[in-house]
Amino acid sequence: MVVAVNPMASFGHRREVGPRTVERLREAGHRVVVMDEANLELLRRETARALDAGADALVVVGGDGMANLGIDLVAGRRTPLGIVPSGTGNDLADGLGIPVRDTEAAIAFLLDALQREPRTIDAGTIRHGELTTWFGCVVSAGFDATVNERANLMTRPRGRSRYIIALLRELATLAPRPYRIHADGRLIEVDAMLVSVANNRSLGGGMRIVPDADLADGRLDLFIVERMSPLRFLRMFPKVFRGEHTSLPEVSILPVSSVRIEAEDVVAYADGERIGPLPIEVTVVPGSLRVLA
């Protein structure tokens, strides 16, 4: 199997997770090819080359960015994806039931999964310009993406609190934006604070924006937070981590199979990775990803 390691996961503070994963896999009798490159683009290229040469599985060690890299390489193929979480945000791993705070438990989970038939889940595609990108977690196209952009530029603090601090800083200029959203042929024109398209239940290290999302139901969930005051928005924020915000009148969750999002001066993110300016088209591809979970 191919094991791809992000050496800068959690700002490089969990470098031991990759070598430990490889060690345990080899002890269990697996033949491992290790990908540990200087940057993510080189890692992506070399991992793709290793997969093309033949592999029974791809295991990524890192956070949601590494999970996204893995999805982009194996979605639509028979090669299953395993995740050993060691990043700042590990939302896809959490959604799959993989232990995210205990490395030994996560590796044991992987070894057990390797003895079973891989699980099949949905993934999605994002069309932006002439490019198409896969994702497995959440596409952000509103205030949540703005927060992600700020958080990615921050070097301190490390961990989930980065997203909270980035959100508090962005609140100073918080305002709704006009959106045109085409959801399965239905036009939605709305002034919104947040717009996301979710396959998984959470993003940003545990913000459960769609708490009942199902990774294998053949659909995505369009999540919209309409106009509200910054103070009300701030009061809503703690509820998101508990999934208790969905009954608010400004919040709507709509099942979709395909959605186009248009707005001015908004940059989209997917699984914590920058996609580019709107517009984008997001489509579910049911059963397109096999996972070791």
Side-chain angles (χ1 to χ4, degrees):
M1 65 183 62
V2 176
V3 176
V5 180
N6 180 5
M8 291 310 297
S10 288
F11 298 93
H13 281 261
R14 298 187 68 188
R15 291 180 183 271
E16 78 286 351
V17 179
R20 181 60 179 149
T21 300
V22 172
E23 178 187 21
R24 289 288 306 280
L25 287 169
R26 286 176 172 159
E27 287 174 354
H30 298 285
R31 187 156 56 91
V32 178
V33 177
V34 183
M35 299 286 112
D36 187 356
E37 306 295 339
N39 59 68
L40 287 179
E41 282 310 308
L42 186 59
L43 183 63
R44 178 188 297 272
R45 189 182 71 194
E46 294 304 311
T47 301
R49 184 176 298 171
L51 290 172
D52 289 340
D56 295 310
L58 170 63
V59 174
V60 295
V61 181
D64 284 323
M66 279 299 291
N68 180 264
L69 182 149
I71 292 166
D72 214 32
L73 291 174
V74 302
R77 300 168 61 158
R78 293 288 299 167
T79 309
L81 175 68
I83 304 170
V84 178
S86 65
T88 305
N90 302 296
D91 290 281
L92 184 58
D94 183 60
L96 289 169
I98 299 170
V100 297
R101 295 179 179 85
D102 185 334
T103 296
E104 288 302 317
I107 296 173
F109 185 99
L110 172 65
L111 291 170
D112 181 66
L114 282 164
Q115 306 302 313
R116 307 170 186 272
E117 184 68 18
R119 176 182 171 188
T120 300
I121 65 170
D122 307 328
T125 60
I126 310 156
R127 192 168 144 202
H128 45 112
E130 299 299 315
L131 301 175
T132 298
T133 303
W134 288 89
F135 76 100
C137 220
V138 178
V139 179
S140 302
F143 180 72
D144 44 350
T146 305
V147 170
N148 212 326
E149 182 124 299
R150 176 179 282 275
N152 282 354
L153 294 173
M154 294 167 59
T155 57
R156 295 178 182 278
R158 298 179 172 90
R160 190 175 74 174
S161 58
R162 269 199 317 154
Y163 294 96
I164 299 173
I165 291 173
L167 183 141
L168 294 173
R169 289 181 177 176
E170 288 296 331
L171 276 173
T173 56
L174 177 63
R177 294 175 180 271
Y179 285 83
R180 285 174 57 88
I181 302 170
H182 303 263
D184 291 339
R186 170 188 171 190
L187 175 61
I188 301 171
E189 295 184 298
V190 60
D191 289 344
M193 319 290 279
L194 276 80
V195 175
S196 296
V197 184
N199 186 42
N200 190 34
R201 64 190 178 191
S202 68
L203 82 167
M207 298 186 217
R208 300 200 170 193
I209 60 169
V210 184
D212 296 323
D214 185 337
L215 285 164
D217 62 358
R219 70 179 191 184
L220 302 170
D221 290 291
L222 175 62
F223 172 73
I224 300 174
V225 177
E226 297 186 33
R227 180 190 296 270
M228 63 172 60
S229 71
L231 181 59
R232 181 167 169 76
F233 188 89
L234 187 59
R235 286 175 175 167
M236 177 193 77
F237 181 62
K239 296 181 179 181
V240 177
F241 284 96
R242 301 188 298 270
E244 297 174 353
H245 59 293
T246 58
S247 61
L248 296 175
E250 297 92 344
V251 174
S252 61
I253 299 173
L254 176 69
V256 295
S257 59
S258 182
V259 59
R260 176 180 171 87
I261 306 173
E262 303 171 4
E264 296 292 330
D265 301 320
V266 176
V267 173
Y269 270 71
D271 300 349
E273 299 297 300
R274 196 178 198 271
I275 298 299
L278 299 184
I280 57 171
E281 295 181 15
V282 184
T283 304
V284 68
V285 185
S288 55
L289 184 63
R290 303 176 83 220
V291 290
L292 297 169

